[in-house]
Amino acid sequence: MKFALPPGVKVLKGYQRTWLRSDIVAGIILTTLLVPQGMAYAELAGLPSITGLYTSVLCLLGYAAFGPSRVLVLGPDSSLGPMIAATIIPIVGSNGDPARAVELASMLAVMVGAIMIIAGVFKLGFVADLLSKPTKLGYMNGLALTILIGQLPKLFGFSTDASGLLGEIGAFIHGLYSGEFVGAAVIIGISSLALIFLLGKFMPKIPAVLVAVVGATILSSVLHLSQHGVSVVGVLPKGFPPFTLPHISDFPLLLAGAASIAVVALTDTISVASAFAGKKGKEIDGNGEMVGVGVASVAAGFFQGFPVSTSGSRTAVAEQSGAKTQLTGIVGAVLIVLMLVFIPGLLRNLPNPTLAAVVIAASMSLADIPASMKLYKQRRSEFVTTLVAFLGVALLGVLPGIGIAIALSIFNVFRRLWWPYQTTLGKVKNYPGYHDVQQYPDGELLPGLVIYRFDAPLIFANARTFRDQIKLVAASRPKPKYILIAAEPITDIDATAADMLRDLDKSMNAKNISLEFAELKHRVHAKFEKFGLIGDLEPHHFYPTLDAAIADYQKKTKTKWQSPAMKKSSAKKPASKKKKSSRK
């Protein structure tokens, strides 16, 4: 049996020497972003900062071997951090054993990776569609607010034990009022945050995070901020952790969180990969991306890491720096290992408030308020969906919030199937074809004929809706003689809908109303035949086009198109006058 080589190995086999310099330079630049963000997002996940570096190394190597994209960069992610914390903190407790938290996070990484590998192998990428744009928008806005509020105490130099958005807001305000904040921490934290935002806005080509981290570390060393109450990272553990098998006994406790994290990681990966592939006019291998990210998470889980996702910001940095292949990620991984082995104390004076600033800056990039306001103007129903998803995350928590977001997306799909757009059609002057009379209220109509359009597959969920609408049309005045279904938008029919149509046709026949169909798709027409509807509803009631059906109707009835005003006036009958009886 011949086995296919992993995508990364194929790239290396065709590697060109001219790419080497670009990949090495891009890898060096990328490392300056990987280290501080990896440490910051580890703490966001409720884990020791060193685990963020372990995770970065293994996920970069894993994806380099199995990932199909040449420029995609993986790592600890700000959107996954709160979900990881929400999954493991209830098990270990807010002040639980860090080693136990790492064990749980490692098992979580293996589970998330396994889910994504299975999804890729069995081509289940459609799961990413469970998060529609409005629900994802609301989820991300809620996540951004949750991260921001959660990091404020750390930015101000103190900590709280509160949980939930409202609790954290109250605890932060109480900490400020009680004077728990550290002045030096506030200055260094807010200065770092301001520097990141200002450089990002006015000098986007300069690595703002790197400048903030280096500047804060130098100031902390020169001014001995740790002696003034400012918490610092300290010396990192030297070396690299050994291969470790996570405890399988934790599996049931982590399953719901793993499934939620996998959906978010999958959605992020598909969207980011599509965006960067689209810039170069290429198509993505969605299933291959899932396998690559899955392998990266599994690899991190076996070396005290946690689940990872694709990073849009780090991928952009790699691309702008000239990355040609995934060797860029390998260079970044090697440089992190060298730092851990030879200079673990390099960032010992990095202030934790600066790490909080890095996380807050990342959280602000998750939020998209202008898009939400645009949605409010474009479609209020989808804005309501965004708002509910936002409130779900903000008030109920990250995991319940993602559950609500997915449920809203599924409900929205069902709602559109259950009550799709329906209308009647008329003829509009100077426009060929037949058009929606709701959009063109002056469209001409044929007396005695109603052309009805139902914009959805006809299935069990909406069979009653279709039936009720046809009955309403049949009960209108003046009473129609024919109801013609413009069936081109009907893409499917099931047994429940077939039985409904059979009964509906009998009901219409009892009222001397003919139910007819035009423009059934070939595939749907074949299903009508399988359900026996062509015979039961009379073969001559099915027309290939609307024009053919309307021409046949006009031939039978000798009617002409009329404006709505003419139709109403012709429907009115003059009141009859009673003759007065003469009395003798």
Side-chain angles (χ1 to χ4, degrees):
M1 183 181 292
K2 190 175 181 180
F3 294 96
L5 292 172
V9 177
K10 290 181 180 178
V11 171
L12 290 178
K13 286 186 68 177
Y15 195 85
Q16 300 179 20
R17 289 185 179 181
T18 54
W19 297 344
L20 184 60
R21 182 180 179 277
S22 296
D23 280 341
I24 292 176
V25 172
I28 294 171
I29 295 173
L30 180 64
T31 305
T32 64
L33 189 63
L34 291 172
V35 173
Q37 283 193 346
M39 296 171 67
Y41 297 161
E43 295 196 358
L44 180 61
L47 299 165
S49 58
I50 185 64
T51 59
L53 301 184
Y54 298 158
T55 301
S56 298
V57 170
L58 269 303
C59 75
L60 289 170
L61 295 177
Y63 187 82
F66 289 88
S69 172
R70 294 191 177 194
V71 296
L72 223 56
V73 177
L74 272 62
D77 189 68
S78 57
S79 63
L80 297 190
M83 299 182 73
I84 296 169
T87 303
I88 64 176
I89 287 178
I91 303 173
V92 300
S94 58
N95 293 313
D97 181 12
R100 172 69 170 148
V102 171
E103 288 178 357
L104 291 169
S106 298
M107 185 65 213
L108 191 61
V110 174
M111 293 170 64
V112 169
I115 291 172
M116 296 193 72
I117 291 171
I118 292 170
V121 170
F122 289 96
K123 305 184 186 305
L124 301 178
F126 66 88
V127 175
D129 298 331
L130 291 177
L131 281 177
S132 65
K133 180 179 178 180
T135 52
K136 186 178 180 183
L137 194 60
Y139 168 76
M140 287 299 181
N141 287 341
L143 194 61
L145 181 61
T146 301
I147 294 172
L148 173 63
I149 298 300
Q151 291 295 307
L152 283 178
K154 185 177 175 182
L155 188 75
F156 280 66
F158 66 97
S159 61
T160 69
D161 294 328
S163 60
L165 182 66
L166 297 179
E168 289 180 344
I169 292 174
F172 175 65
I173 294 173
H174 179 267
L176 291 181
Y177 182 77
S178 303
E180 295 180 25
F181 63 89
V182 178
V186 175
I187 294 172
I188 196 70
I190 293 181
S191 299
S192 299
L193 185 60
L195 185 60
I196 292 172
F197 278 125
L198 290 174
L199 287 178
K201 183 174 179 62
F202 298 107
M203 305 177 75
K205 292 186 177 181
I206 295 178
V209 171
L210 174 63
V211 173
V213 167
V214 171
T217 303
I218 293 173
L219 281 175
S220 176
S221 301
V222 173
L223 301 177
H224 305 290
L225 293 183
S226 61
Q227 298 177 12
H228 294 83
V230 178
S231 172
V232 295
V233 169
V235 178
L236 298 174
K238 187 176 182 179
F240 208 73
F243 177 86
T244 306
L245 288 174
H247 292 282
I248 299 178
S249 60
D250 300 322
F251 181 90
L253 301 173
L254 302 172
L255 188 57
S260 300
I261 292 169
V263 170
V264 174
L266 176 57
T267 304
D268 280 347
T269 297
I270 297 298
S271 60
V272 173
S274 299
F276 282 91
K279 289 181 179 180
K280 298 183 178 181
K282 297 181 179 179
E283 294 292 329
I284 67 162
D285 177 6
N287 296 310
E289 293 293 355
M290 285 185 281
V291 172
V293 178
V295 169
S297 275
V298 170
F302 286 135
F303 289 88
Q304 298 183 21
F306 49 87
V308 298
S309 180
T310 304
S311 169
S313 61
R314 277 162 279 181
T315 300
V317 168
E319 185 186 49
Q320 292 169 5
S321 302
K324 302 297 182 183
T325 69
Q326 282 296 340
L327 182 61
T328 296
I330 296 175
V331 171
V334 170
L335 289 176
I336 294 174
V337 171
L338 291 176
M339 185 193 77
L340 291 175
V341 172
F342 297 106
I343 43 175
L346 179 65
L347 299 174
R348 63 180 180 275
N349 290 321
L350 171 60
N352 280 314
T354 298
L355 288 182
V358 172
V359 174
I360 290 174
S363 73
M364 298 301 290
S365 68
L366 294 176
D368 196 341
I369 305 303
S372 301
M373 293 300 99
K374 185 177 180 181
L375 204 59
Y376 176 79
K377 296 176 181 178
Q378 292 175 334
R379 189 162 184 170
R380 297 289 173 86
S381 61
E382 293 199 336
F383 174 77
V384 171
T385 301
T386 297
L387 185 61
V388 172
F390 167 77
L391 293 175
V393 175
L395 300 180
L396 300 180
V398 177
L399 291 183
I402 189 66
I404 290 172
I406 292 173
L408 281 173
S409 293
I410 295 173
F411 174 76
N412 203 24
V413 172
F414 183 78
R415 179 184 63 81
R416 293 179 183 180
L417 283 174
W418 173 56
W419 194 260
Y421 185 73
Q422 308 155 67
T423 190
T424 54
L425 305 180
K427 192 173 183 179
V428 181
K429 289 182 179 180
N430 301 322
Y431 285 94
Y434 307 95
H435 303 277
D436 186 346
V437 297
Q438 295 184 40
Q439 187 176 0
Y440 299 95
D442 295 330
E444 295 179 338
L445 307 172
L446 278 171
L449 175 70
V450 175
I451 308 172
Y452 172 76
R453 194 182 73 198
F454 188 79
D455 294 352
L458 199 51
I459 58 174
F460 70 95
N462 56 33
R464 183 187 295 271
T465 300
F466 181 91
R467 182 200 66 186
D468 292 347
Q469 283 299 112
I470 293 296
K471 287 185 174 181
L472 282 175
V473 170
S476 62
R477 291 292 180 266
K479 177 183 174 181
K481 297 177 182 178
Y482 288 76
I483 298 177
L484 175 61
I485 311 298
E488 195 271 339
I490 298 177
T491 56
D492 199 4
I493 185 171
D494 65 7
T496 303
D499 289 342
M500 177 275 297
L501 283 179
R502 193 175 287 108
D503 294 339
L504 182 63
D505 183 61
K506 292 177 182 178
S507 173
M508 293 297 104
N509 288 339
K511 297 178 181 180
N512 295 318
I513 298 175
S514 179
L515 189 65
E516 304 189 341
F517 294 81
E519 298 186 348
L520 270 176
K521 296 180 185 295
H522 177 76
R523 179 173 172 272
V524 181
H525 192 279
K527 290 192 175 183
F528 268 63
E529 289 180 334
K530 284 186 177 181
F531 287 124
L533 289 173
I534 302 297
D536 292 343
L537 272 61
E538 302 294 338
H540 62 274
H541 286 179
F542 292 84
Y543 296 88
T545 65
L546 282 173
D547 284 333
I550 291 168
D552 186 55
Y553 173 76
Q554 288 184 295
K555 183 179 179 182
K556 292 176 183 176
T557 61
K558 309 299 182 184
T559 55
K560 295 183 179 180
W561 292 96
Q562 297 179 4
S563 68
M566 290 176 60
K567 187 174 179 181
K568 289 179 181 178
S569 62
S570 65
K572 293 180 181 178
K573 294 181 179 180
S576 59
K577 296 182 179 180
K578 293 182 179 179
K579 293 182 178 179
K580 294 182 180 180
S581 58
S582 58
R583 291 183 180 180
K584 292 181 179 179

